[in-house]
């Protein structure tokens, strides 16, 4: 593999790891998917959204994403599809401009980049899901906001159907705040804007959202293709 291709691949995978660390599903205790009263302080619309997602148990959507690097002033746009199935399965597939894939069945995470051309090999990084889990998925993909309140995250209304989530002052890490916007006609998340302390920003918009579909378990397992370099971390 050329040095340029290796550098490009590593950059892609590091970006995926950063995103997945933010969005990956958090484990739940037994029965956590049942409808439970939201914690006091949760805005009414978010409580309705949380109940809607809990009833549905699955989500499929198309996404468009824009990442902005503060250090270099660069913008990168990408798009693809995502699927989530309760309690903790996720498939995040970027199709444009460069294909890559994140798959988790709740136990294992696969981060895959296909070959750049016929002379190259693909690569998959395999990790335990517990190593990259984050409860932020509860708010951004699975609609579970009460867990963030229990962790001390502040949730406030920014507009009629927009909210801002801020970590507690004691929280470490690079995350500064997350803004979410709900669909104008239903309690479904349609846009997520993530701001980091280093000035970087990411915006994810969802469309063609479908909830409550029966998603096969095979969608959240990854079969390693031939000619794929395997890295276990």
């Amino acid at each position: 593999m050329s040095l340029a291709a290796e550098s490009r691949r590593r950059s892609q995978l590091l970006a995926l790891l950063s995103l997945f660390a933010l969005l990956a599903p958090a484990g739940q205790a037994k029965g956590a998917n049942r409808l439970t009263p939201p914690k006091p302080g949760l805005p009414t619309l978010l409580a309705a959204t949380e109940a809607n997602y809990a009833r549905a148990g699955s989500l499929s959507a198309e996404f468009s994403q824009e990442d902005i690097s503060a250090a270099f002033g660069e913008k990168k746009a990408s798009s693809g599809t995502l699927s989530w199935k309760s309690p903790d399965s996720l498939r995040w597939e970027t199709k444009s401009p460069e294909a890559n894939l994140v798959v988790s069945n709740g136990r294992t995470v696969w981060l895959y980049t296909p070959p750049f051309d016929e002379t190259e090999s693909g690569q998959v990084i395999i990790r335990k899901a517990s190593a990259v889990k984050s409860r932020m998925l509860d708010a951004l993909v699975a609609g579970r906001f009460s867990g963030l309140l229990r962790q001390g995250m502040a949730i406030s209304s920014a507009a009629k159907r927009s909210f801002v989530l801020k970590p507690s002052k004691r929280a470490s890490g690079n995350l500064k705040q997350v803004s979410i916007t709900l669909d104008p006609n239903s309690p479904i998340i349609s846009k997520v804007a993530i701001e980091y302390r280093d000035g970087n920003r990411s915006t994810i918009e969802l469309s063609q959202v479908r909830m409550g579909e029966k998603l096969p378990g095979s969608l959240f397992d990854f079969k390693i293709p031939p000619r794929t370099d395997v890295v276990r971390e």
Side-chain angles (χ1 to χ4, degrees):
M1 181 184 296
S2 67
L3 289 176
E6 176 64 25
S7 176
R8 182 183 177 196
R9 170 170 291 159
R10 197 66 188 175
S11 177
Q12 279 184 277
L13 288 171
L14 286 173
L16 282 171
L17 281 168
S18 177
L19 176 65
F20 194 71
L22 180 68
L23 297 181
Q28 298 180 18
K30 186 176 180 180
N33 194 48
R34 299 171 185 167
L35 293 178
T36 55
K39 182 174 179 178
L42 192 64
T44 302
L45 269 176
L46 291 188
T49 302
E50 186 170 277
N52 186 34
Y53 279 61
R55 281 191 297 267
S58 71
L59 177 146
S60 298
E62 297 179 5
F63 74 85
S64 59
Q65 180 174 344
E66 182 181 73
D67 299 310
I68 300 176
S69 169
F72 301 102
E74 297 176 344
K75 293 183 179 180
K76 180 179 180 180
S78 58
S79 61
T81 61
L82 70 90
S83 299
W84 161 78
K85 183 179 180 180
S86 180
D88 51 11
S89 296
L90 179 70
R91 183 183 183 92
W92 187 286
E93 185 170 4
T94 301
K95 297 183 177 181
S96 175
E98 298 169 342
N100 52 60
L101 176 65
V102 177
V103 179
S104 175
N105 59 12
R107 301 178 302 278
T108 302
V109 178
W110 297 268
L111 302 105
Y112 174 69
T113 51
F116 294 115
D117 57 50
E118 63 276 5
T119 67
E120 304 283 358
S121 298
Q123 186 181 73
V124 61
I125 294 178
I126 303 175
R127 287 185 162 192
K128 290 183 178 179
S130 58
V132 291
K133 284 181 178 178
S134 165
R135 290 194 178 277
M136 188 56 72
L137 174 74
D138 286 350
L140 306 186
V141 178
R144 301 185 195 110
F145 301 99
S146 295
L148 296 181
L149 278 178
R150 286 191 289 270
Q151 287 188 324
M153 181 168 285
I155 300 178
S156 60
S157 299
K160 185 176 180 180
R161 299 184 71 86
S162 298
F163 303 88
V164 175
L165 288 64
K166 291 185 177 182
S168 67
K169 293 182 179 179
R170 300 187 304 274
S172 60
N174 192 30
L175 180 64
K176 181 180 179 181
Q177 70 173 41
V178 178
S179 301
I180 64 170
T181 302
L182 302 182
D183 182 89
N185 300 312
S186 58
I188 295 174
I189 299 168
S190 61
K191 182 178 179 180
V192 176
I194 306 164
E195 297 182 33
Y196 300 93
R197 298 186 191 279
D198 59 11
N200 293 340
R201 289 179 288 163
S202 295
T203 302
I204 303 165
E205 296 193 42
L206 303 183
S207 60
Q208 304 298 317
V209 178
R210 303 172 303 281
M211 302 185 71
E213 295 182 338
K214 292 184 178 180
L215 302 180
S218 59
L219 191 64
F220 306 102
D221 275 311
F222 182 73
K223 297 187 181 300
I224 300 175
R227 296 187 59 206
T228 298
D229 297 329
V230 178
V231 179
R232 298 183 184 273
E233 296 184 345

